[in-house]
Amino acid sequence: MAKELTPRSENYSQWYQDLVIKADLAENSAVRGCMVIKPYGYAIWEKMQAELDRMFKETGHVNAYFPLFIPKSFFSKEAAHVEGFAKECAVVTHYRLKNDEESKEIVVDPDAKLEEELIVRPTSETIIWNTYRNWIQSHRDLPLLINQWANVVRWEMRTRLFLRTAEFLWQEGHTAHATKQEAIDETIKIINVYAEFAENFMAMPVIKGLKSENERFAGAIDTYTIEALMQDGKALQSGTSHFLGQNFAKAFDVKFTNKEGREEYVWATSWGVSTRLMGALVMAHSDDNGLVLPPKLAPIQVVIVPIYKKMEQLGVISEKVDTIVAELKAKGISVKFDDSDNKKPGWKFAEYEMKGVPVRLAMGPRDLENGTVEVARRDTLSKEIVPLEGISEYIERLLEEIQQGIFNKALDFRTKNITKVDTWNEFKETLNKKGGFIWAHWDGTSETEEKIKAETKATIRCLPLDNEQEEGACVYSGKPSKQRVLFGLAY
Amino acid sequence: MAKELTPRSENYSQWYQDLVIKADLAENSAVRGCMVIKPYGYAIWEKMQAELDRMFKETGHVNAYFPLFIPKSFFSKEAAHVEGFAKECAVVTHYRLKNDEESKEIVVDPDAKLEEELIVRPTSETIIWNTYRNWIQSHRDLPLLINQWANVVRWEMRTRLFLRTAEFLWQEGHTAHATKQEAIDETIKIINVYAEFAENFMAMPVIKGLKSENERFAGAIDTYTIEALMQDGKALQSGTSHFLGQNFAKAFDVKFTNKEGREEYVWATSWGVSTRLMGALVMAHSDDNGLVLPPKLAPIQVVIVPIYKKMEQLGVISEKVDTIVAELKAKGISVKFDDSDNKKPGWKFAEYEMKGVPVRLAMGPRDLENGTVEVARRDTLSKEIVPLEGISEYIERLLEEIQQGIFNKALDFRTKNITKVDTWNEFKETLNKKGGFIWAHWDGTSETEEKIKAETKATIRCLPLDNEQEEGACVYSGKPSKQRVLFGLAY
């Protein structure tokens, strides 16, 4: 088989890289850190986008579009924000190229220097809140519930396809509210939307929680996160929702007249998920044979491969297949009949396994005689012979079962990989030998958090939302602690 | 009424600007030449995107995503291409900001200069063909039918909302083919898709044609265009499809092995429409009261306004309205019931007129008694009283009638504004007094075309595809001509 992956057990990181390339999801481009999202990868992203967009609209949000460029001076207006993003941003300084007379080369025209440099947006709070100043005067203009689908650029030094790229695609919500409570409610509403999307569509269990101060978004009062566990025991932050308080309203002077006629600064949230979710999807479920896709996000849910020796057999098989295809399509199931004659069935089987197509049907002359078809599940790699009678209902149920099965498997893995530890030795041992989430007491200080990170690279992934209060001693400092938090190595 | 537009007859250009702002479609941002597309404008763009995307997929295309940045050296590889775009592009030269110790200001970090400057894509042929080199080896890899939805930047000096902006949103198709004929067929297939979209969805009649050499895309062998006529008699190029020959394949060394086993350069097309279509939509149909939207692209197709004096009346009206809303939604018609009590009906009428909602229902206590409702058409501004019995079927038919009516009106206007002229005086007089398309003989030389442009600003909009051959004399030079071409002033 031409397309083999490095096994996960041998080199997980190489397995991921191999898989993203060989399943035709994405590849590195000629531009440092920027990826090309290939058609098959983009088709999955489009399905993610469609579901998320529907969920945002159902919760009252509308889409809009703001400029790609942010004037440098805007950037500097919120101190924590610029501190967080200045070190890794692409800067536009000129607006023209020209032919150099001497070298005959195309060069930047020094006469076309911008008065003020423009930053390619790494996130849009500053340009958006500068715009909101003109949109918001009265409490009647609130809430403003706006989302944007866009590309952003962060000049990361070490990049990995989907997980960390200089340019990535995302959605960023930016909402404005009349009260603090309303803004906090919005922040939580969205983290719930993200969790629902991750669990019901990506089949990926997540833990919802608050970030510690060290891990907050630059400019936020509170950052909510959903954290997922990958098969190598590392955590992946999959979506964040920020309560921004009045920080951006103050930086951009956005006030409104409240119901009592007094002027107040506006309350803000922002929230986003990105093409990073593609990386999470790959790493949460896939195996050494290739992608495993949850049916709800699979561009092709069912593939049908004919098995034949003579061309006339293909004709008879195709006739039968056409009725199956029609039945499946009528149920809204996406199906591909691969009757290409330049590839052997074995090659096709391996190819669709690599691409994570949830269900494969194989049909040969004997199946036709017996009124059966071979049905193979991608997630379990199991096969069975099924009667053609009622096949579309069978597949419909099977797809649901697969969606649930993939989720259950990931949940089971996560359950086994959350370890409660009470001593620093246990902490280090668990981290080294097992990985996963470590559930330990912490004294609540940034100082301790930084020391733990320096010694182990582990970070606080979150303070889970449904946390129980429990008296204890910090696993590192021994100081008193009111609750356990989730530690882990992270992507 | 708060929101008044400058009448078209007084100042068409100001009318357009007023309308785009007052209908909440878009506004200028703090970044020179870049616009903010507001939620209502973006909702229309989303409807355009959805239809176009469906049409591209139905014709076998898939979406992908390529980098925002293009290395400067790629740009220089196709001579005509760089010539066309170098003068107006945003150049990224640095990848970091820093705090200046002395001034305490955020400045560009001189130590973070890129080795090679990056151009923010003005169009993606170069980065895409550099990628295709690795994707195409054999005739089995062809055709490659890929589209991208993206933002692009062209540093235009004079910008106007939607019509000409430094950043705009668009789709760009980039296809690769084994033969010249196949690439030409693709180019024509797409110009037909664009024309179908313009006429059936935007209700905007267009003329399909070939561009003259002067007006071709930089790097193309042939450019096909759809040209629409705006109400001020100026033409608007609304979509283009380019046959690129082997120009980009040669510049980026993209070869394939054909069926006979010989190496050949790949044949290419590219094609795009952009948020410019929003400008076309506004200018083609709207009037001095505001937007006129074709129902197929209207975010809200029907608005219902209750007319009442006492709050209890609103309750009774709402009950009746709820059943109408349910019936309309069941037919896939988007409907809004505006029962906000802080605005008067008259204010609402004006507001939805401004926003171009195709159908407005007004319902008061008397209507309830009589079992009727007042139905107002946005396009004709006519009203009638209609029985509630069968109202949803009535509205369904009415929306179709409006869609067709708007198209017919625009077609009628265009028909009256294509003028056949045979002398240079007639040409100039028609251009000055009437505008519109001028249908005249041309000797086929760039020289004549340039002289006509220099004297009158008129350009050749296209050589229509269904052109009849006709012997004649060039309206400017008097030299022999084989066909008439379409001239006009253009946006």
Side-chain angles (χ1 to χ4, degrees), chain A residues 27 37 46 57 63 65 68-69 72 86 89 91-97 106 135 140 151 167 342, chain B residues 27 31 37 46 57 63 65 68-69 72 86 89 91-95 97 106 135 140 151 167 342:
Chain A
E27 64 183 36
I37 307 180
E46 280 181 312
K57 284 175 177 158
N63 290 329
Y65 189 77
L68 171 66
F69 299 127
K72 198 189 66 183
C89 57
V91 189
V92 176
T93 56
H94 291 75
Y95 59 85
R96 191 163 62 221
L97 300 174
I106 302 288
W135 292 6
R140 291 194 186 279
N151 54 343
E167 182 193 14
N342 57 331
Chain B
E27 64 183 37
V31 184
I37 307 180
E46 279 181 311
K57 284 175 177 156
N63 290 329
Y65 189 77
L68 171 67
F69 300 127
K72 197 189 68 184
C89 57
V91 189
V92 176
T93 56
H94 292 74
Y95 59 86
L97 300 174
I106 302 287
W135 293 7
R140 290 194 186 281
N151 53 344
E167 182 192 15
N342 58 331

Side-chain angles (χ1 to χ4, degrees), chain A residues 393-442:
Chain A
E393 288 77 17
Y394 179 89
I395 289 175
E396 193 173 33
R397 279 193 307 275
L398 183 61
L399 288 170
E400 284 165 23
E401 206 180 300
I402 293 173
Q403 180 81 26
Q404 193 59 45
I406 294 176
F407 177 81
N408 290 346
K409 192 179 169 196
L411 182 61
D412 189 46
F413 174 81
R414 189 188 73 185
T415 306
K416 287 183 183 139
N417 285 283
I418 301 185
T419 313
K420 207 175 195 177
V421 313
D422 288 310
T423 70
W424 184 236
N425 271 339
E426 256 187 291
F427 186 104
K428 286 186 290 186
E429 215 177 272
T430 307
L431 199 66
N432 288 333
K433 292 201 179 144
K434 188 178 172 190
F437 286 125
I438 297 181
W439 185 224
H441 275 284
W442 165 58

Side-chain angles (χ1 to χ4, degrees), chain A residues 233-458:
Chain A
K234 283 169 82 175
L236 194 141
Q237 174 181 307
S238 304
T240 47
S241 180
H242 316 294
F243 169 58
L244 303 173
Q246 295 173 311
N247 290 352
F248 286 90
K250 285 177 181 166
F252 289 91
D253 196 31
V254 188
K255 292 179 194 163
F256 73 104
T257 310
N258 67 18
K259 283 184 186 163
E260 290 73 42
R262 268 178 299 117
E263 270 210 333
E264 268 190 79
Y265 284 109
V266 177
W267 298 87
T269 86
S270 70
W271 30 275
V273 294
S274 73
T275 37
R276 190 167 215 231
L277 288 181
M278 292 287 297
L281 186 70
V282 170
M283 289 205 298
H285 308 306
S286 302
D287 63 25
D288 292 350
N289 297 319
L291 274 184
V292 173
L293 291 177
K296 285 188 188 173
L297 295 179
I300 305 166
Q301 295 174 308
V302 177
V303 65
I304 307 179
V305 178
I307 317 286
Y308 60 96
K309 288 189 181 141
K310 301 177 209 140
M311 280 308 280
E312 48 287 19
Q313 292 175 319
L314 177 60
V316 192
I317 294 170
S318 297
E319 242 175 72
K320 192 74 213 166
V321 167
D322 286 348
T323 64
I324 302 177
V325 167
E327 273 184 49
L328 291 174
K329 282 193 176 163
K331 287 186 178 295
I333 296 169
S334 62
V335 52
K336 176 176 174 172
F337 176 37
D338 185 351
D339 61 351
S340 55
D341 63 352
N342 57 331
K343 288 154 191 161
K344 294 249 158 75
W347 189 96
K348 292 179 186 173
F349 287 10
E351 175 68 13
Y352 294 112
E353 257 173 45
M354 183 64 77
K355 292 205 160 166
V357 176
V359 172
R360 182 187 72 222
L361 306 188
M363 187 181 277
R366 200 169 305 165
D367 294 300
L368 272 188
E369 276 170 36
N370 300 339
T372 59
V373 63
E374 184 191 87
V375 179
R377 264 175 85 148
R378 174 63 188 90
D379 60 332
T380 56
L381 294 171
S382 59
K383 287 186 217 178
E384 57 181 326
I385 304 294
V386 174
L388 277 174
E389 179 77 35
I391 188 68
S392 63
E393 288 77 17
Y394 179 89
I395 289 175
E396 193 173 33
R397 279 193 307 275
L398 183 61
L399 288 170
E400 284 165 23
E401 206 180 300
I402 293 173
Q403 180 81 26
Q404 193 59 45
I406 294 176
F407 177 81
N408 290 346
K409 192 179 169 196
L411 182 61
D412 189 46
F413 174 81
R414 189 188 73 185
T415 306
K416 287 183 183 139
N417 285 283
I418 301 185
T419 313
K420 207 175 195 177
V421 313
D422 288 310
T423 70
W424 184 236
N425 271 339
E426 256 187 291
F427 186 104
K428 286 186 290 186
E429 215 177 272
T430 307
L431 199 66
N432 288 333
K433 292 201 179 144
K434 188 178 172 190
F437 286 125
I438 297 181
W439 185 224
H441 275 284
W442 165 58
D443 64 19
T445 68
S446 291
E447 202 192 342
T448 297
E449 190 180 355
E450 276 156 25
K451 283 182 182 163
I452 292 175
K453 188 176 179 183
E455 278 191 44
T456 65
K457 291 188 182 154

Side-chain angles (χ1 to χ4, degrees), chain A residues 70-187:
Chain A
I70 299 177
K72 198 189 66 183
S73 57
F74 285 22
F75 231 59
S76 323
K77 289 198 177 174
E78 212 291 329
H81 190 71
V82 67
E83 174 73 22
F85 289 103
K87 285 172 211 133
E88 45 176 44
C89 57
V91 189
V92 176
T93 56
H94 291 75
Y95 59 85
R96 191 163 62 221
L97 300 174
K98 67 164 193 173
N99 243 309
D100 185 49
E101 303 277 316
E102 263 178 60
S103 68
K104 302 289 172 206
E105 297 215 335
I106 302 288
V107 299
V108 176
D109 185 345
D111 295 336
K113 194 172 187 307
L114 290 173
E115 271 181 49
E116 180 179 7
E117 296 90 347
L118 297 172
I119 313 305
V120 180
R121 63 180 164 219
T123 179
S124 302
E125 279 78 5
T126 55
I127 187 83
I128 288 180
W129 278 86
N130 186 67
T131 309
Y132 281 180
R133 186 175 53 249
N134 300 320
W135 292 6
I136 301 169
Q137 273 89 40
S138 142
H139 64 93
R140 291 194 186 279
D141 300 322
L142 297 171
L144 213 49
L145 304 173
I146 293 183
N147 176 59
Q148 160 170 284
W149 290 97
N151 54 343
V152 286
V153 172
R154 297 176 187 179
W155 209 263
E156 305 275 1
M157 277 306 158
R158 286 183 197 176
T159 61
R160 297 185 67 190
L161 290 166
F162 290 124
L163 297 172
R164 200 173 289 277
T165 48
E167 182 193 14
F168 56 91
L169 305 183
W170 79 345
Q171 61 69 217
E172 48 181 323
H174 295 273
T175 69
H177 305 268
T179 69
K180 180 179 177 180
Q181 190 56 48
E182 208 188 280
I184 292 174
D185 290 348
E186 166 79 8
T187 317

